[in-house]
Amino acid sequence: MTKLLVPVTEPSQVGDARRRASALALNLGFDETRTGQIAIVASELATNLLKHTRAGGMLIVQPLRTPHSGMEILSLNHGAGMSSVAQALVDGYSTKGTLGTGLGAMRRLSDQFDIFSQHDFGTIVVARFINEKEQLTKPLLNFSAISMPQRSEIVCGDSWCYMETGAGIFVMVADGLGHGPQAAEASEKATEILKANAPGSVCDLLRAMHKGLKHTRGAAVSLAQIDLHNKRLNFAGLGNVSANLITAHRKEHLTTTNGTAGFEARTIREYSSIWTNDSILILHSDGCSNRWSIDNYPGIESRSASVICAAIYKDFSKNHDDATVVVVKSHSRI
Amino acid sequence: MDKIPILKMGKFLLITLQVDLHDKVALALQDDVSNMIAQSGAKGVLIDISGLELDDSFIGRVLGTISSISRLLDANTVLVGMRPAVAITMLELGLSLQGMHTALNVEDGMELLNKITNAPRNGANHSRNGNHTKR
């Protein structure tokens, strides 16, 4: 399994980034021309990290699974930040004396592109490439996930799922106990059970997971159902996968009950909240600290789910555990 | 594969858990403790977990199992060195370790083990009713 993360701290890693992106693109069925363009974007993102920051940064090169089909490249760094993103996007502007077409070119080559930068936080750039042949309908919500294994593991013990059904959109994060292949087995089983049983009430689905995971080592699971029609979010969780609903700058921590699916589930309780066009649902496993606040990134709530996801992952993930961050919000009206 | 050493101290067993404990090693420990209690007739097991990291959620489950198995083999278990963050995680995951005793350090833990083991065996045996923390 290829590692999704490409550190970029010195020039030879630009080639790494380009090769990783090309390989993934070809694997996913993009044609040669498109693969070439994806490679250019990867290369440009990596070069920017070296050119504009002192410590470099990292790229995440990953496939996009349901609801999308394609891939994305995220660039994350802890630098000084850009003084003006808007200015930098205009062709011809450069702070380093180069042609200044980089960001604009990347935006033109990508299907979806987003950028967020803040003083003393750094910069996040997201470039998404959609496989038109495979993706027939636009997802109902803007969704992003970053899931990385513990530093010494190859397989991630966390699993996530986004599923659109006639009864709403189900979003789940499962964190298998411990880490490694057996943790992955537990969390993947939870995803399997969701796919096989949804739609249904979040409590019933969680109960099914508790039953179905009995022969595994168990997992903490948080499951949300977004009902766009009735503007409601229904939630149930077992264990310590953090679930948060942001509405108008208020961070509402959704309650989970103590337990582990497959091992201990004395109570399973459902909670219901309002879901509006401005709501943001953020789920993350305990490999990511819960100390983040959207208020520390002014303006980020109107950016894409990928940017929000990358910001929280960048600043709050701990690499001594599997870390997963999932963000869901309505498509922006821009 | 590293095996965790189990030390025998009189009628008790003493185990120290360090960080980065591999899951297979934890499961092997489960077997080893059971066998050793049976062979030696030990009446108590003291487990020092002060070296455990937050993310060892599976280890929490193994500890619960060791405690249950020990009880079936007529031995009590005392956990020593539980850190607050570890306690919170275990609670959130439903690993409440019911019936397992805790103490703040090894000396207190040994004292507690002695007390529980020497307690008169009657219907009001308090060690069966939940956790005891020796201050």
Side-chain angles (χ1 to χ4, degrees), chain A residues 178 217 239-240 258-260 320, chain B residues 23 55 57 61 91-93 95:
Chain A
R217 60 161 63 167
N240 63 357
N258 293 336
T260 299
H320 62 69
Chain B
D23 299 341
D55 56 317
S57 45
R61 201 171 152 171
L91 179 70
E92 287 173 335
L93 293 173
L95 304 170

Side-chain angles (χ1 to χ4, degrees), chain A residues 281-303:
Chain A
L281 173 69
I282 301 177
L283 301 177
H284 62 86
S285 61
D286 68 344
C288 178
S289 150
N290 196 35
R291 302 220 168 155
W292 53 269
S293 169
I294 282 285
D295 293 337
N296 291 336
Y297 311 98
I300 210 175
E301 62 281 348
S302 53
R303 306 247 58 87

Side-chain angles (χ1 to χ4, degrees), chain B residues 44-113:
Chain B
V45 182
L46 191 120
I47 310 180
D48 180 0
I49 61 167
S50 50
L52 268 194
E53 286 278 339
L54 253 179
D55 56 317
D56 290 333
S57 45
F58 180 59
I59 307 305
R61 201 171 152 171
V62 169
L63 287 175
T65 312
I66 291 177
S67 169
S68 303
I69 294 175
S70 306
R71 213 135 42 92
L72 286 171
L73 296 171
D74 193 27
N76 292 293
T77 314
V78 172
L79 273 191
V80 158
M82 170 86 72
R83 287 189 281 130
V86 178
I88 291 169
T89 302
M90 287 194 179
L91 179 70
E92 287 173 335
L93 293 173
L95 304 170
S96 56
L97 305 173
Q98 269 214 338
M100 192 179 251
H101 309 279
T102 56
L104 289 179
N105 54 53
V106 176
E107 285 86 1
D108 289 353
M110 288 301 262
E111 217 181 297
L112 180 60
L113 261 181

